[in-house]
Amino acid sequence: MTTKRRKKSQSKVLLIAGMMTAIMIAPTTIMLAIGMLPTIVAYFINKRGSRVRALAIGAMNLAGCMPYVYELWLGGHDFSNSLHIVMNPQVVIVMYAAAGVGYVIDWAVSGFVSVILYERGQTRMKEIEKRRQALVERWDKKVTGRIPLDAHGFPVNEEMDMEREPTNKNKI
Amino acid sequence: MADDNKTNKDAEKADNKNEDKPKIRNKKGDSSISHIVELSGGVQVDSTKRLAAMDVGPIEAYEGFGDKSGEQYFALVCEPDITPRVRASAAYQNISNPRLSSLVKRGVVYWPPARQERYMLVFQNNLGQSLSPADQKQALGLHQDIVLEKILEPLANCLLDFRDKEFFHGGIRASNLFNGGTANLESVMLGQALAAPSSFMQPVLYETIQRAMADPIARGRGRQCHDLYALGITLAVMLRSNDPMEGLSSADIIKHKLEVGSYAAVTGKDRFKGSILELLRGLLHDEDDQRWSVEEMQEWIDGQRLTPKQVIPRKKADRPLLFAGERYFQLEKLAMDLEVNPTETKRIIDEGDLEQWLVRSMNNEELNEHLTEMIAVVRNNGQGAGYQDRLVSVLSMVLDPAAPIRYKGLHMNPEGIGTALSQCMAKKQDVSVFADLLSQGIPMQWIKEQLKAGIESGIFPQNFEMCARFLRKPHLGLGIERCLYQLNPESHCLSEKLEKHHVLSAEELLIALDNACKGGMAPALFIDRHIAAFLSAQDANYIDDLLPMLNAQEYHKRIVANLRCFANIQRRDKIGALPHLAKAFAELMPTVYKRYHDQEIREKMQKQVGKLAAAGDLVKMIEEVDSPAVANKDFKAFKLAMYDHKVLSAEHAELARQLENKKTFGLSAGRQIAALISCGLAGFVILGLTFSNFF
């Protein structure tokens, strides 16, 4: 209970701090709000598990935004300058293209890794099958645990078979 | 008692070791079978040359000879159903008396005519001709002085030797006396009686009244007083000119002896004069404890004149008892005939005829009370099947406690039950009568009756108590077979698997089985009811601990128990290699290997057992296949393997589930890596921009 409450209060403090910071650096906030739009869209439209994709897009998107953020900070940090920069279509294209690069990285890397992991999975499956087969060969089918066993680990039915004395033996 | 048994067993083992282990030249199955059986010491027996004159009933005699010395022998080839007196043979071999034929060799040989092993006794053939062949009149009419000098004196010397060696002959009779190859009875020889159970070949005439009542096979071990009685009869037969009992049946001879006493019955109309009367009366006394001893006889021979103890006439009733149309005055005669008509026996009890006769005519109130008590006991044990037989048996032993056990047509002294049972089993006859007899404790009842009547039988009841216990459970190692070997320790093993062998010890058993396996003929399992019982009786340490395993349902346990038992014997008796038996066991082993989970252990074991089997080492074989340490290790490893398999199977199932959707498999991980790359790249760009703008 205490931890949950503490987390809630922590996030509230961070939200308030963030909002205050955003207000304090409002020109930057406006620029980033427009420049990081692909990331925001990616964050909200993708399904569960795709927030990591938003992180990949967002990182590159942010990298695309940073030259203009520095330009704003060095050229005068005010609303007019901010709007002036953002209104330039070339700037927006650069920002959104950087987000696109992030998307491409996500698509390419995740696809590549997925193929590799699938192959590894297949190999592991074969390896497990082989090891199980080796266990069966060494310890017999009873090692699978699918056959009812007695206290000594022998199949109950086999025990019954073994009770029978062969009758085809020659007598002395 | 236990110590006595142990001593006896040790002595028997020592005796068996002293037995000859003849080299058998002729081989079974050989097309050119030799008819000569070659024994150690250059003794040979020709299986084609019969010596019918030396036959002992069904036991045939054959010619034997020394290959170098030229000595003449005769060999008695014992029958499988008639137990020879193995222990007595050892004692006989130690007696040195010129009037006895020397026992040159004894032991088991392969007997070509029967194509199987037989127990053989080889004697020096210096007996000559019988003084009175059995088919001739049993009355020689010899002069008293000749009989005393030529027959009594040498036989008295023999009896003194027998006493010293605690040996019971059991075959002193006129037809078993020989002229020693000389004329005028210069060297009278006494024949042997070792090839069959005690007194087996003795005619009823030569047996005391009580022993004569028993079946020949079941007379049991006798004592010297019985030999002295037989000597008395023999002397009487030599002296008398008429046979008063000629043509009489065995039962009539016994009844005649009961009627008039042995002395009068044997001498009949012959009237002997002088001191020999004392000797005959002393030797033919019907009470065992009143009969002259060998010392008394020797004193008489030395010239001292003794007075035989007075013969007390058997009690007779004032009035007869009518039983099955016959009139009975004597308890003993009535006891003899009760079994002839069990229904009539029941009638005389139910209608009170017997009670009245005992009280009024025999004046024996005490006996009547005891009889009533015993009848009540029999009735309380149930009046269903077998009631009449039990009643007859108990009634018979109460009326005549000195008589043998009478039960369902069998007449046996307790010590003779073993030999009778042995014969019955060897002939594959029904032995249920013996099982009934022993399980109902009739021998123990007989012993109690003897003690009550003040008769010293010298028989301990422990053996019979044990037999009753053996019969309670039908398991291997118990049952009637165990009773057989308990009651007749001289019996060879009667297992069907050893039909062609004559096995008298555990060592011989293993060697016989090894030979039997030589031709690749091996049984499914070796230890059957007879072998288990035989080994248990030989030495409990061989097998008793293994009986639960031998009786187990599981085949593999029985195989292991068979091997362990034989390994015990091989180790304890220091028996050499048994390669054929070991090979036969190796063939049975796959079932045992299967009791190990690990295939590698099985293969290793199989390889090792193969090597040990070739070396014939059963001891190492059992250590290899039945090691608790290996079994424990194997089981633990198996449990670990099961766990591994379970974990792998779970992983396999999870992977299979994930790999079902190829499109999404690994996507999450891929995106995380993509995010990392993206973040890294962006970080470099931002860092670069920061440096270019601010520094």
Side-chain angles (χ1 to χ4, degrees), chain A residues 1-9:
Chain A
M1 280 296 277
T2 326
T3 323
K4 269 189 177 179
R5 216 177 273 170
R6 196 180 293 163
K7 271 188 178 177
K8 263 188 177 179
S9 57

Side-chain angles (χ1 to χ4, degrees), chain B residues 354-372:
Chain B
L354 183 62
E355 187 183 342
Q356 275 184 16
W357 184 66
L358 286 175
V359 176
R360 293 183 190 169
S361 304
M362 294 297 292
N363 298 319
N364 198 338
E365 187 69 43
E366 194 187 339
L367 179 64
N368 183 50
E369 276 174 21
H370 180 51
L371 189 73
T372 311

